[in-house]
Amino acid sequence: MDPRATRRPATGSIAVTTSVVLTTLAVVLLSALTAMAASHDNTVEWNGISHEGWLDRDPRCPIDGESFTVSFLTYTNDITSARVRVDDGVVAWIDASKTSTRGPYDVWSGAVPATAANDLSYWFEITDGVDTDYLSVNGLSDATPADGGFVIDYTTLEHAPVGATPTSDGGTAFRVWSPDRTVAHVRGAFNSWGTTDPMTKTGEYFAVHVPEASVGQMYKYYFQNSTWNTDPRARRLNPGDNYNAFILDPDSYDWQVDDFDVPDFEEMVIYQLHVGTFSGLNDPYGTATFPAGFAEVTERADHLAELGINVVMLNPVTEFPWDYSAGYNPVTAWSPEWIYGTPDELKGMVDALHERGIATIHDIVWNHLSYSDNFLWNYDGTQCYFDDPAIDTPWGSQADFDAEGVRDYYVESAFSWLEEFRMDGFRMDATDYMNIDEQEAAGWSLMQRLNDEMDRRAADKICLAEQLPDDSWVTRPTSLSGAGFDSQYYDEFTDRLREEIIAAASGDPDMYVIRNIINGGGQYLAGRYVTNYLELHDECWPESGGQRIVKTIDTTSPHDDTYAMGRSKLAQGLVLTSPGIPAIIMGTEWLEDTDFGTDSGNRIDWSKKTTYAGIFDYYSDVITLRTTVGALRADAGHDVYHLNESGNLLAFQRWDGVGGLIVVVANFSNTDYSNYRIGLPSDGNWTELVNSQDSTYMGSGTTNPGALTAESTPYDGFSNSIELSVPAMGLLILSNGVGTGVSDEPGDVETSLRLAPRRNPMNVGSEIALTLPSASHAVLSIYDVRGRLVTTVVDEVLPAGTSSHAWHGRDDAGRALPSGVYFARLTADTGSAGASSAYAKMVLLR
């Protein structure tokens, strides 16, 4: 998102230099891939190899001896060749080949031929140069496997995925876990809900293939000729008809984005979104039913792209009782909530967000199931899913994490969301209640299993823990006996920041407390291992004892006085600039005062995007910096070097290791300071990129425009310093220009090289404005999010001043480019300083 330089006063340009195009794109988007990808180095990287039969066979459930394709994953460019050993009574070797790439992984596939045998087995031989290893049912080995391999049994169907899986003959294979029952049937519309389709038991599972059972029909299981129940792994449920399950094809959705790259963890800016209350109130996108659904989020994806966030974190969207809920009372871990829409509508929402460069995180609730409508209770006439007596949490009973069928139920649900719905990670609810009482060891190992399997198969996707209180063991790697989460909610940050921003009303907040939370909580509780926020749903939810912080600051409606605006921007600005992964809740971007909840009165008010347009601009601009400037990444260096306890002000620096420096000044006081001296970690010219009290942001108007020259006056332990105007409740972001695109040449910022899309998001006919300080040969190029040149718009001598140039959203070959994030770079000879560049992030919408 471009920070609208054409509408802002001369407080600094957020143009970004050539080095950012190369450094930010390469580092931010590809660093995780580089770390995980291997090379042809005569070593097969075991930790990147995986094969899950229920996900990696096509068709998913081969029947009647038919041919099928098997696949496995490796790190990108890790291996040189692979084969599949197939044994149906006669051993055959099938060459495998790389068929696609998925994030940091290559997908290798081989075609297993049809057979007249009743069963067969297979395993993989995987080679990188002179190193050959093997993957079979018991894992990886240096020697040829002796475990019998992955088995396909066309008679028992023990290879069928658990649940209902459409088969190639138009029928369906059913498989259900029921360890203690001896008789089971599948009954549905396909057999007039009769008992003509008995299931065969193998181990702890029943299975049957029903040729007449087709996609769209409803069904249930019937145990011991007495107990009806639904499918725990149904991909769609009908709560209006006794929770009957629907047969669905998990592969029917036509994905439009096949190569989405999840933002690097250090680049993420998270936006929490409750589907039901996101849309419909004074909504310029049109009316929406209540509760709103996945389709309504899809229609408003442009707003999220305009804001600039790159991760949407959904409140839980698994099926829950009734129609109005925050989602924390689930009855299943598998199917989407019916009131929000169909599974394909959920996939369409994820697809639309991916088109705009936005990842989707699903909030998973594994610590309990709902008190009501809990069909897993006495599921098949036995208590197979729960301990007896049950272990209770404050919200409902906990499933039996010791039972392998229960553990598979949860972990495999995660990979259904990751691979069938293409979700980009998870927030796990209340992890402190995952390992309680007798379940302590089992709950901990279940979390470890999830994170280990994600590290193996979905290493580019994130898993966040709502861990309250803070516990570094939760984000400690599993190799060190930790739970292995990628990041955890930083409770200390939230609680202390809220206390001090509220204490600012009396004029006596403690700056050392703010320093401490910026510094983090030590190993595995700092940097990307923490997720920072001022308020998410619990803090804004009266049911949890909370309310929107603007209501706490300004108790009188409409809760938008100088202090509510000033202090909320200050606090959220610290969230967005401190080390760690920042998160905000929907409505923050326009000073929303409506509390979180699940009724129609809790819908966020879209008219406020216009009423508080300057607030929206503030968040959009700060988020742009957070996602494009390397010095503001989650793990970038930091140092709180200026602490004024009596004046209630502090300053800290962030750096990226390649010369880029950012200084953040935070004034918690109610005093406007003029000529306030701050040390600077480098000499030369600095620029105020953002000032939260800029009048453009509905602030008091006190700013520091133009080039700011560091003085050779030692201060704060540095050789250089500067005197600034620091407004009350102000948050200032300063840059030395290196790696941020801010001009470090002396003179008026308005005369420097500038680049600005006329509209952002931009449509296919939008124009890009270029400003040159003198007549120059200018080159305007467009890059995709991977840093690849897609087209050159301008390559000619242009006069001094501003000119506009159309880009129609096409590449050099004239092909229409998909909606998404692109980067424009202007390079020109600006005189004695030689060639310089400016940069803008753009969102193309079709």
Side-chain angles (χ1 to χ4, degrees):
M1 170 65 195
D2 176 72
R4 291 167 298 279
T6 56
R7 294 193 285 107
R8 290 192 45 199
T11 59
S13 168
I14 309 182
V16 180
T17 62
T18 306
S19 65
V20 164
V21 174
L22 300 177
T23 302
T24 302
L25 290 180
V27 174
V28 171
L29 298 175
L30 301 177
S31 63
L33 309 191
T34 301
M36 291 180 291
S39 61
H40 297 163
D41 58 358
N42 298 312
T43 302
V44 176
E45 303 294 339
W46 284 19
N47 57 346
I49 305 288
S50 70
H51 171 73
E52 296 292 339
W54 68 284
L55 292 168
D56 295 335
R57 287 192 289 260
D58 185 17
R60 295 191 184 213
C61 181
I63 58 171
D64 299 333
E66 69 180 326
S67 63
F68 59 97
T69 299
V70 291
S71 301
F72 67 92
L73 273 60
T74 75
Y75 284 150
T76 302
N77 298 322
D78 180 42
I79 68 172
T80 53
S81 64
R83 297 192 298 172
V84 186
R85 182 187 183 275
V86 180
D87 185 356
D88 64 353
V90 177
V91 173
W93 287 93
I94 310 299
D95 287 335
S97 61
K98 176 182 170 181
T99 54
S100 63
T101 298
R102 192 177 80 193
Y105 300 98
D106 287 336
V107 180
W108 286 70
S109 304
V112 177
T115 181
N118 291 326
D119 58 69
L120 60 82
S121 64
Y122 65 89
W123 43 259
F124 301 96
E125 177 189 82
I126 303 171
T127 300
D128 181 12
V130 300
D131 182 28
T132 296
D133 298 305
Y134 304 91
L135 174 63
S136 187
V137 66
N138 285 341
L140 284 144
S141 62
D142 289 309
T144 55
D147 56 17
F150 300 96
V151 174
I152 304 294
D153 192 316
Y154 295 107
T155 302
T156 66
L157 295 181
E158 63 184 271
H159 61 280
V162 184
T165 305
T167 50
S168 58
D169 63 346
T172 301
F174 298 92
R175 192 161 177 249
V176 62
W177 181 62
S178 178
D180 298 318
R181 303 281 81 178
T182 57
V183 179
H185 295 76
V186 62
R187 305 175 68 171
F190 42 83
N191 60 15
S192 300
W193 297 93
T195 56
T196 57
D197 291 302
M199 306 180 79
T200 300
K201 190 164 191 182
T202 303
E204 295 187 342
Y205 292 85
F206 288 97
V208 67
H209 171 234
V210 183
E212 300 78 19
S214 58
V215 170
Q217 293 181 312
M218 292 191 294
Y219 67 97
K220 265 198 171 99
Y221 296 120
Y222 187 58
F223 300 97
Q224 222 66 15
N225 295 316
S226 61
T227 303
W228 290 82
N229 216 326
T230 195
D231 187 348
R233 300 201 186 199
R235 292 178 173 88
R236 187 182 182 192
L237 291 168
N238 186 349
D241 192 0
N242 299 304
Y243 283 105
N244 288 334
F246 288 96
I247 301 169
L248 291 187
D249 180 356
D251 302 313
S252 64
Y253 180 78
D254 183 16
W255 290 94
Q256 301 302 298
V257 179
D258 285 323
D259 58 351
F260 180 70
D261 287 326
V262 182
D264 186 83
F265 300 169
E266 292 191 50
E267 184 200 17
M268 288 181 168
V269 177
I270 297 172
Y271 182 95
Q272 187 180 36
L273 186 153
H274 179 252
V275 172
T277 57
F278 181 62
S279 313
L281 179 60
N282 300 320
D283 193 335
Y285 290 94
T287 58
T289 58
F290 182 79
F294 304 128
E296 283 73 35
V297 178
T298 299
E299 292 166 358
R300 291 152 184 80
D302 292 352
H303 164 76
L304 300 171
E306 183 184 3
L307 178 60
I309 56 92
N310 54 20
V311 179
V312 163
M313 180 172 70
L314 301 172
N315 281 91
V317 297
T318 44
E319 191 69 57
F320 49 73
W322 313 299
D323 295 341
Y324 316 114
S325 173
Y328 297 101
N329 54 337
V331 297
T332 176
W334 281 79
S335 64
E337 165 59 32
W338 80 276
I339 197 68
Y340 291 159
T342 67
D344 276 1
E345 286 177 319
L346 174 55
K347 292 176 183 178
M349 185 199 79
V350 173
D351 213 6
L353 293 172
H354 283 178
E355 282 185 331
R356 292 156 177 81
I358 301 171
T360 307
I361 289 178
H362 182 207
D363 194 341
I364 53 176
V365 184
W366 289 9
N367 54 66
H368 73 282
L369 284 109
S370 174
Y371 281 118
S372 61
D373 294 19
N374 182 0
F375 56 76
L376 295 182
W377 190 264
N378 287 319
Y379 173 68
D380 57 2
T382 72
Q383 195 63 299
C384 58
Y385 276 91
F386 293 87
D387 288 292
D388 190 9
I391 294 175
D392 287 321
T393 74
W395 316 284
S397 296
Q398 188 172 89
D400 181 6
F401 294 155
D402 286 307
E404 196 62 25
V406 172
R407 294 165 68 83
D408 290 345
Y409 170 81
Y410 281 111
V411 174
E412 290 178 12
S413 75
F415 282 89
S416 173
W417 296 114
L418 292 174
E419 302 199 16
E420 292 179 14
F421 289 85
R422 301 197 183 180
M423 296 286 191
D424 303 298
F426 303 110
R427 171 224 190 242
M428 180 176 279
D429 178 67
T431 51
D432 209 42
Y433 282 88
M434 283 291 295
N435 54 317
I436 58 174
D437 302 329
E438 294 91 339
Q439 300 276 35
E440 182 173 5
W444 190 259
S445 68
L446 180 59
M447 293 189 289
Q448 289 178 317
R449 176 179 167 186
L450 170 65
N451 288 309
D452 281 342
E453 293 193 20
M454 284 186 66
D455 286 347
R456 178 178 297 277
R457 191 176 172 91
D460 55 330
K461 303 192 176 187
I462 195 165
C463 200
L464 308 174
E466 188 210 15
Q467 175 57 38
L468 309 172
D470 303 324
D471 182 355
S472 63
W473 283 93
V474 169
T475 36
R476 188 181 298 266
T478 60
S479 59
L480 300 176
S481 301
F485 284 91
D486 297 307
S487 187
Q488 66 176 284
Y489 279 18
Y490 190 15
D491 193 29
E492 182 74 4
F493 186 100
T494 301
D495 291 348
R496 302 293 84 77
L497 179 57
R498 290 175 65 83
E499 288 172 359
E500 301 312 318
I501 208 70
I502 293 168
S506 64
D508 193 27
D510 292 320
M511 291 296 95
Y512 77 90
V513 171
I514 302 300
R515 176 197 60 198
N516 291 347
I517 61 173
I518 292 171
N519 286 339
Q523 190 176 35
Y524 304 117
L525 266 178
R528 70 168 179 83
Y529 290 108
V530 295
T531 297
N532 296 328
Y533 59 94
L534 174 69
E535 55 184 3
L536 293 178
H537 76 270
D538 274 327
E539 289 73 26
C540 300
W541 197 4
E543 187 171 306
S544 296
Q547 65 177 11
R548 293 271 187 174
I549 198 162
V550 293
K551 294 176 69 174
T552 301
I553 297 171
D554 177 8
T555 58
T556 304
S557 181
H559 313 290
D560 64 352
D561 69 8
T562 298
Y563 302 103
M565 287 190 185
R567 292 185 187 129
S568 62
K569 286 186 292 179
L570 168 62
Q572 297 284 13
L574 279 172
V575 168
L576 290 163
T577 56
S578 294
I581 299 173
I584 62 174
I585 189 171
M586 64 183 193
T588 296
E589 66 269 34
W590 58 52
L591 207 75
E592 184 61 68
D593 65 335
T594 301
D595 291 327
F596 179 87
T598 60
D599 297 330
S600 61
N602 297 114
R603 292 175 295 174
I604 59 173
D605 184 353
W606 285 75
S607 70
K608 294 173 184 171
K609 185 177 180 182
T610 299
T611 303
Y612 304 108
I615 302 295
F616 180 87
D617 289 348
Y618 170 71
Y619 286 108
S620 180
D621 285 359
V622 177
I623 290 169
T624 294
L625 289 174
R626 177 62 181 75
T627 57
T628 59
V629 175
L632 289 174
R633 285 161 56 85
D635 271 341
H638 81 280
D639 175 32
V640 182
Y641 65 83
H642 180 95
L643 194 71
N644 183 342
E645 201 64 71
S646 62
N648 298 313
L649 185 149
L650 62 72
F652 58 97
Q653 63 165 322
R654 305 291 312 277
W655 63 84
D656 59 10
V658 293
L661 291 172
I662 292 288
V663 166
V664 179
V665 182
N667 182 7
F668 277 66
S669 80
N670 301 315
T671 302
D672 291 322
Y673 294 111
S674 59
N675 302 318
Y676 190 97
R677 187 166 293 279
I678 295 283
L680 291 175
S682 79
D683 59 7
N685 288 326
W686 287 70
T687 303
E688 184 178 79
L689 300 181
V690 167
N691 185 320
S692 66
Q693 292 289 28
D694 192 321
S695 59
T696 303
Y697 302 141
M698 304 182 74
S700 63
T702 300
T703 62
N704 297 276
L708 306 174
T709 303
E711 303 171 15
S712 299
T713 302
Y715 205 76
D716 290 328
F718 297 118
S719 301
N720 299 277
S721 61
I722 196 169
E723 288 187 341
L724 298 170
S725 295
V726 183
M729 301 174 290
L731 182 120
L732 285 57
I733 304 176
L734 311 177
S735 169
N736 71 340
V738 179
T740 62
V742 177
S743 172
D744 57 5
E745 294 300 309
D748 187 348
V749 173
E750 293 297 331
T751 66
S752 64
L753 192 68
R754 299 184 67 188
L755 166 65
R758 293 292 192 188
R759 295 171 56 192
N760 211 353
M762 60 191 305
N763 60 32
V764 295
S766 291
E767 294 186 335
I768 303 171
L770 314 182
T771 301
L772 303 177
S774 59
S776 310
H777 183 270
V779 177
L780 173 61
S781 303
I782 309 295
Y783 296 82
D784 66 14
V785 293
R786 295 183 177 178
R788 298 174 298 195
L789 176 68
V790 296
T791 192
T792 299
V793 179
V794 174
D795 187 357
E796 60 182 298
V797 175
L798 296 176
T802 300
S803 59
S804 294
H805 304 270
W807 177 49
H808 299 288
R810 295 181 179 273
D811 63 14
D812 272 338
R815 294 172 296 219
L817 294 166
S819 297
V821 177
Y822 294 87
F823 301 89
R825 185 181 75 191
L826 169 64
T827 303
D829 188 339
T830 55
S832 60
S836 61
S837 297
Y839 158 97
K841 179 180 178 181
M842 305 180 301
V843 177
L844 173 65
L845 301 179
R846 291 194 170 276

